[in-house]
Amino acid sequence: MLRLADNLNRLGTETAFEVLARAAKLQAEGRDIVNLGIGQPDFKTPPHVVEAAAQALRDGHHGYTPANGIPALREAVAADIARFRGVEVDPDLVMIMPGGKPTMFFAIMMFGEPGAEIVYPNPGFPIYESMIEYSGATPVAMALHEENGFAFSADEVLAQIGPATRLLILNSPANPTGGVAPKAEMDKLAAGLEDHPHVAILSDEIYSRLLYEDNEHVSLLGYESLRERTILLDGWSKTYAMTGWRLGYSVWPKALFPLVERLAVNCHSCVNAATQYAGIAALNGPQDAVETMRRAFDARRRIIVRALNQLPGFRCVDPGGAFYTFPNIEGTGMSARELQSRMLEDAGVATVAGTSFGGHGEGFIRFSYAASEEDIERAVERIRTVL
Ligand code: PLP
């Protein structure tokens, strides 16, 4: 009999991948499925970025790179942060990672252990809760409310911080809700955190470039008083349509940097070399593809929000960022799981139940609008018929 580690029983998953597998199976059986389940841009990586990776391979960049990343890439990240966030960071504190996820994995491994508490958004990206549980720490849910457009309330977050809190996870713009934290709330939170110097912050800003209407990105890295304990997570996946390349970055406080470097050496050694050259081209090259994608998402956002609000039993707030909408479906009389299943099996539309993002997601369904306008319209029509 194999004897496995107990903590594996506490490891969760990301249901979006299960929905994807079920949708692929139905497709293989000949069903026409509209996929509004998966959270990735439906665009191609810009051609000059692909070419940079191909060129890197032709130039013989086939070996290991430094564990923290190629120096030119770390400098490009620091320059991009200065341009976009208006914050100077030392390239030596930039860690190149195989995607956005490993930063949350490592940050949670660093702070999580039995007796520790970690505050995380709920509904939120499911890996936060899964990893907190795996680490043995106690997950403390920061509930996000529809009436606030799913932005956190600084007072509520601060009320959840206690002596055992080690890490606070924030995500704006957010998955699965599209919620964006307003500057006033961020300011209030940052000021309040000054009273809790024992708490580190992981700020997941992977959707920082996908903002609509008058929403502006407020980076936690901009708060000087928190710099020595803020970990910034961002990357290329969503901004440059590069989810499959596995490329992300994080900025770490000086005291934590050697630790994350050591975790990386133990885990993956370094990120694929050619991918890192693609990352340089993405940051240093033309940015028009980023804006083209953002505008397309914005147009689709308007279409899907209007259409969902006309479905019986649906109520949908305007998402300010990312490419998700998170309608309230309580009026359908079905649970989130039930409706997810009915929509996939009967309407041929893949979505993800709100409960996949935590207990506070009951009564909601996540739609990704990283899909064509025709597909969005087709999907909503089919759902209407089934309802
Ligand atoms: N953070 C959030 C909030 C996400 O939604 C995702 C992906 O869906 C990630 C991080 C992970 O990004 P990556 O694919 O680069 O690992």
Side-chain angles (χ1 to χ4, degrees):
M1 277 300 255
L2 302 180
R3 179 113 196 265
L4 297 174
D6 270 355
N7 54 4
L8 282 172
N9 295 321
R10 299 195 302 267
L11 191 63
T13 187
E14 198 183 340
T15 322
F17 284 96
E18 285 167 23
V19 172
L20 193 67
R22 177 69 188 144
K25 186 160 185 295
L26 290 172
Q27 265 166 337
E29 290 167 5
R31 289 277 308 276
D32 174 31
I33 304 293
V34 184
N35 194 343
L36 304 184
I38 192 74
Q40 67 177 340
D42 56 325
F43 294 93
K44 296 256 183 293
T45 304
H48 70 280
V49 176
V50 177
E51 179 49 31
Q55 190 59 46
L57 289 173
R58 285 193 293 268
D59 289 346
H61 294 291
H62 303 168
Y64 293 123
T65 77
N68 53 15
I70 296 170
L73 180 54
R74 302 166 76 207
E75 278 158 25
V77 168
D80 184 66
I81 291 174
R83 262 192 317 267
F84 178 62
R85 292 182 170 83
V87 180
E88 295 297 325
V89 302
D90 182 348
D92 284 346
L93 299 179
V94 174
M95 185 75 197
I96 304 302
M97 290 283 203
K101 264 181 185 167
T103 289
M104 58 186 87
F105 193 98
F106 290 162
I108 294 168
M109 289 308 274
M110 252 184 223
F111 290 98
E113 64 181 348
E117 289 182 2
I118 300 183
V119 181
Y120 73 102
N122 185 333
F125 191 52
I127 302 306
Y128 307 140
E129 189 182 80
S130 161
M131 276 304 300
I132 298 167
E133 293 274 13
Y134 181 71
S135 76
T138 305
V140 178
M142 169 208 305
L144 299 174
H145 311 288
E146 181 187 11
E147 56 273 26
N148 290 346
F150 299 104
F152 65 76
S153 138
D155 287 335
E156 271 185 51
V157 178
L158 291 166
Q160 282 175 304
I161 291 179
T165 312
R166 301 252 185 110
L167 181 67
L168 164 66
I169 302 177
L170 298 174
N171 174 218
S172 175
N175 178 7
T177 60
V180 175
K183 183 164 186 317
E185 220 52 32
M186 277 285 207
D187 288 350
K188 196 171 175 187
L189 180 68
L193 284 170
E194 289 181 28
D195 296 334
H196 304 286
H198 62 293
V199 178
I201 306 119
L202 169 62
S203 184
D204 182 344
E205 302 182 13
I206 197 102
Y207 295 101
S208 57
R209 305 303 167 100
L210 293 173
L211 283 162
Y212 312 111
E213 298 186 2
D214 50 4
N215 284 298
E216 277 185 26
H217 186 57
V218 186
S219 176
L220 214 75
L221 211 58
Y223 295 91
E224 196 53 49
S225 62
L226 303 177
R227 275 296 278 285
E228 292 309 312
R229 50 195 169 111
T230 298
I231 303 160
L232 168 76
L233 180 165
D234 203 339
W236 287 259
S237 295
K238 318 286 175 174
T239 308
Y240 297 98
M242 290 178 71
T243 50
W245 292 73
R246 308 314 300 139
L247 185 64
Y249 70 79
S250 30
V251 179
W252 294 75
K254 205 172 187 161
L256 300 183
F257 199 83
L259 301 175
V260 69
E261 234 178 340
R262 205 182 305 166
L263 282 166
V265 170
N266 275 269
C267 176
H268 57 262
S269 298
C270 67
V271 174
N272 172 305
T275 292
Q276 294 194 51
Y277 283 91
I280 299 174
L283 291 180
N284 292 349
Q287 300 298 304
D288 45 321
V290 179
E291 181 56 12
T292 303
M293 283 189 270
R294 195 197 64 82
R295 285 201 188 160
F297 290 137
D298 191 17
R300 297 161 180 189
R301 180 181 71 97
R302 291 162 201 263
I303 291 169
I304 196 165
V305 170
R306 194 179 327 115
L308 291 177
N309 268 322
Q310 286 167 2
L311 287 178
F314 276 59
R315 180 177 73 216
C316 186
V317 298
D318 252 349
F323 39 60
Y324 308 106
T325 177
F326 203 59
N328 180 314
I329 51 91
E330 281 164 346
T332 64
M334 279 182 262
S335 72
R337 271 266 168 195
E338 224 178 323
L339 187 58
Q340 170 197 291
S341 164
R342 286 287 301 279
M343 288 199 286
L344 182 56
E345 306 295 331
D346 302 349
V349 178
T351 60
V352 185
T355 41
S356 296
F357 306 96
H360 293 279
E362 184 54 280
F364 298 88
I365 292 267
R366 187 189 81 173
F367 287 77
S368 158
Y369 50 86
S372 69
E373 293 181 13
E374 300 73 54
D375 272 357
I376 291 170
E377 278 161 0
R378 220 153 53 90
V380 176
E381 260 333 290
R382 287 192 195 176
I383 296 167
R384 186 193 311 282
T385 308
V386 165
L387 285 173

